Amino acid sequence: MDDLKRGGIAVIDFGSQYTQLIARRIRELGVYSEVFAHDGAAEHINQHRPAGYILSGGPASVYDRDAPRLPAFLRASDSPVLGICYGMQLLTEAAGGLVASAKTREYGPAIITHQARSPLFDGLATDLRVWMSHGDRIEALPPGYSALAESDNSPYAAIGDLSRNRYGVQFHPEVRHSPQGQAILSNFLFRICACQRKWSAESFIEDAVKKIRAQVQTERVLLALSGGVDSAVVGALMQRAIGEQFTCIFVDHGLLRKGEAEQVLQVFRREQGMNLIAVNAIESFLGALQNVTEPEAKRKIIGKLFVDVFSEEARRLRGIRFLAQGTIYPDIIESAADSKNAKTIKSHHNVGGLPDDLHFELVEPLRDCFKDEVRKIGLALGLPEAIVWRQPFPGPGLAIRCLGGLNWERLEKLRAADAIFTDELAAAGMLRQGTAQSFAVLLPVKSVGVMGDKRSYEEVLVLRAVTTDDFMTADWARLPYDLLARVSARIVNEVAGINRVAYDITSKPPGTIEWE
Ligand code: XMP
């Protein structure tokens, strides 16, 4: 039995969009947590002997014919249980209370008042702002339960059977819109379940290393290293776990930012000591992209060529059974949106469409992690901040930032301008805070200017910087004028062939973050 996981929290999923978020909040509190399907086998759910259970919300109504039910082992269990929203309604129904459809759906912020002294609200102000999102509500409490908090909309915003350590909350403590939600979860973990804080980036690594070794045994593993955070962290993790059995392929397609290819070699080959094969495929990529201007055509060509180059290298290596991938939890949600099968690998993960004859089995050690957790793990593995805090960079690279036809000269121009923008943002402390993504875009447009008393007729460069949490919507970053002025002056002076710099002030929507 794995000691690290013993005494954690099993989150039982009833279909809420927030289920993984609950698990992540618990890990933030230093406690191991894992999500299980509501109809999973009891032995599987209980394999690490959880100290308590959290029942997620969900879209069903407890009286629906096919509604997911409270797992049988939990009806009999003496362990602490916290039901959130649908989870609370399930506890109520299972213990003989009454749940009914509310007259109005309650969605959004609400104030709850907790009057009873209960360990769940220990140390918290009496009135709390919380986030509600439910259609059903509790009409009558089951025997043994009492109301722990009320809201304007319901006398049962939180309930509990303290003698059996059963608690329910109608609101969502896991979302940031419930500012004291984390304190409530913390009370459940430490006051009610008596969990211990033993979960950390270091303990994740220790555990992941064991799992990787158990999965791959003496077989060899391959990784397509892009230099992005996720593949970098998987690489460092695989290296720690199986060193000699592990090989990375880094395809340099010539569409990377300034110094990026050199940095990948420095960090992964020299510092991390990885067995890294660097493939210089610049000519093939630029050749295939010559005269291609349509953005989707660029993407298709790059995606296909990447798979071809990678597969050829992989075939040459022989005897490799596993492919490691930097899939993280948000990728799985995104793919689930396009597919019923939540396990599909996102298409822009490049290596998703490998030819059948390669027959790789996947190793995906970060698939339950969120981006910020991946960063913590990367730092704990000794990766440099420059890699761990790198902004997202699209798979097709500079090809979709160099508008119009691509050639080496235009790419170099774009790289030089982009590096100046990045340097100045970093110097102003705005690369990590203040912008979520920032880059330069070279337009296939010339404008007239005057330099040294002479007429110039050169290309236009656009600076793009956005703030966003999820990259689905974004606002253009309000960068200081002085910073923009410095960047513009430096680019026009230092980069030959650019005589005008513009700043993109379009949000998403209606714009997208990238220009292509
Ligand atoms: P958009 O331009 O759609 O970008 O607002 C949202 C996020 O996705 C990134 N992006 C891509 N990433 N392959 C990728 O791996 C692509 O083809 C691609 N297109 C856009 C973009 O950089 C931003 O972070």
Side-chain angles (χ1 to χ4, degrees), residues 127-289:
D127 290 340
L128 300 174
R129 190 152 55 85
V130 297
W131 186 259
M132 295 280 190
S133 173
H134 62 108
D136 290 356
R137 57 178 239 165
I138 311 288
E139 291 294 330
L141 287 177
Y145 277 78
S146 55
L148 302 181
E150 61 180 16
S151 72
D152 277 353
N153 198 43
S154 166
Y156 307 122
I159 62 171
D161 175 348
L162 275 56
S163 67
R164 290 194 63 209
N165 272 328
R166 306 246 142 165
Y167 295 85
V169 291
Q170 187 56 77
F171 56 90
H172 288 273
E174 69 276 23
V175 304
R176 291 277 182 234
H177 301 295
S178 297
Q180 298 302 317
Q182 192 70 335
I184 294 168
L185 289 175
S186 172
N187 279 340
F188 179 68
L189 299 189
F190 302 113
R191 297 193 185 281
I192 297 169
C193 300
C195 291
Q196 286 173 14
R197 288 179 202 269
K198 41 186 187 177
W199 192 250
S200 60
E202 287 75 15
S203 66
F204 173 90
I205 294 166
E206 205 177 301
D207 180 60
V209 162
K210 278 190 209 153
K211 265 198 199 148
I212 293 166
R213 286 182 184 154
Q215 186 185 358
V216 309
Q217 309 266 335
T218 55
E219 301 284 343
R220 291 173 64 200
V221 183
L222 190 62
L223 169 79
L225 191 72
S226 67
V229 188
D230 306 336
S231 72
V233 174
V234 168
L237 202 50
M238 297 307 297
Q239 181 67 13
R240 169 94 48 114
I242 54 165
E244 285 302 299
Q245 289 158 251
F246 176 56
T247 304
C248 288
I249 295 179
F250 167 64
V251 177
D252 184 358
H253 47 29
L255 305 166
L256 296 170
R257 288 162 288 189
K258 190 172 172 189
E260 207 164 2
E262 295 76 11
Q263 186 191 37
V264 165
L265 295 185
Q266 170 65 27
V267 170
F268 296 99
R269 189 179 277 165
R270 297 193 198 101
E271 292 170 20
Q272 295 272 326
M274 280 181 202
N275 183 10
L276 175 73
I277 299 173
V279 186
N280 182 336
I282 299 177
E283 263 182 41
S284 321
F285 275 85
L286 294 196
L289 288 164

Side-chain angles (χ1 to χ4, degrees), residues 459-478:
E459 284 185 313
V460 179
L461 184 103
V462 176
L463 303 175
R464 177 73 161 146
V466 295
T467 56
T468 175
D469 286 328
D470 57 10
F471 297 88
M472 309 291 274
T473 60
D475 199 5
W476 59 278
R478 285 9 180 213

Side-chain angles (χ1 to χ4, degrees), residues 419-432 483 486 490:
I420 291 172
F421 188 27
T422 305
D423 281 354
E424 291 293 339
L425 282 168
M430 297 199 70
L431 204 51
R432 255 166 67 173
L483 170 68
R486 258 194 321 277
R490 277 194 61 194

Side-chain angles (χ1 to χ4, degrees), residues 299 348 392-396 400-401 437 471 508 512-514 516:
R299 278 193 174 79
H348 80 235
F393 186 61
I400 55 166
R401 294 179 179 172
Q437 212 172 357
F471 297 88
K508 172 184 177 176
T512 52
I513 296 175
E514 303 288 348
E516 288 197 330

Side-chain angles (χ1 to χ4, degrees), residues 245-384:
Q245 289 158 251
F246 176 56
T247 304
C248 288
I249 295 179
F250 167 64
V251 177
D252 184 358
H253 47 29
L255 305 166
L256 296 170
R257 288 162 288 189
K258 190 172 172 189
E260 207 164 2
E262 295 76 11
Q263 186 191 37
V264 165
L265 295 185
Q266 170 65 27
V267 170
F268 296 99
R269 189 179 277 165
R270 297 193 198 101
E271 292 170 20
Q272 295 272 326
M274 280 181 202
N275 183 10
L276 175 73
I277 299 173
V279 186
N280 182 336
I282 299 177
E283 263 182 41
S284 321
F285 275 85
L286 294 196
L289 288 164
Q290 217 173 14
N291 306 321
V292 180
T293 54
E294 208 280 313
E296 283 311 298
K298 287 181 182 174
R299 278 193 174 79
K300 282 207 183 85
I301 292 171
I302 294 167
K304 178 171 182 317
L305 204 51
F306 182 89
V307 167
D308 289 350
V309 174
F310 181 81
S311 311
E312 198 186 316
E313 288 300 319
R315 276 194 201 96
R316 222 197 301 272
L317 288 168
R318 288 174 199 280
I320 297 214
R321 172 148 163 213
F322 291 96
L323 181 74
Q325 290 219 53
T327 316
I328 67 172
Y329 184 68
D331 299 334
I332 295 171
I333 310 181
E334 275 174 41
S335 345
D338 322 321
S339 150
K340 289 215 168 61
N341 175 7
K343 309 272 183 273
T344 313
I345 296 152
K346 203 173 172 183
S347 64
H348 80 235
H349 264 211
N350 287 333
V351 284
L354 289 178
D356 289 344
D357 67 317
L358 286 170
H359 297 303
F360 286 131
E361 288 169 47
L362 293 183
V363 186
E364 295 180 307
L366 302 177
R367 59 179 295 130
D368 292 333
C369 298
F370 286 80
K371 198 76 167 189
D372 56 333
E373 294 179 309
V374 173
R375 293 206 161 103
K376 280 189 199 144
I377 295 162
L379 289 175
L381 283 163
L383 288 174

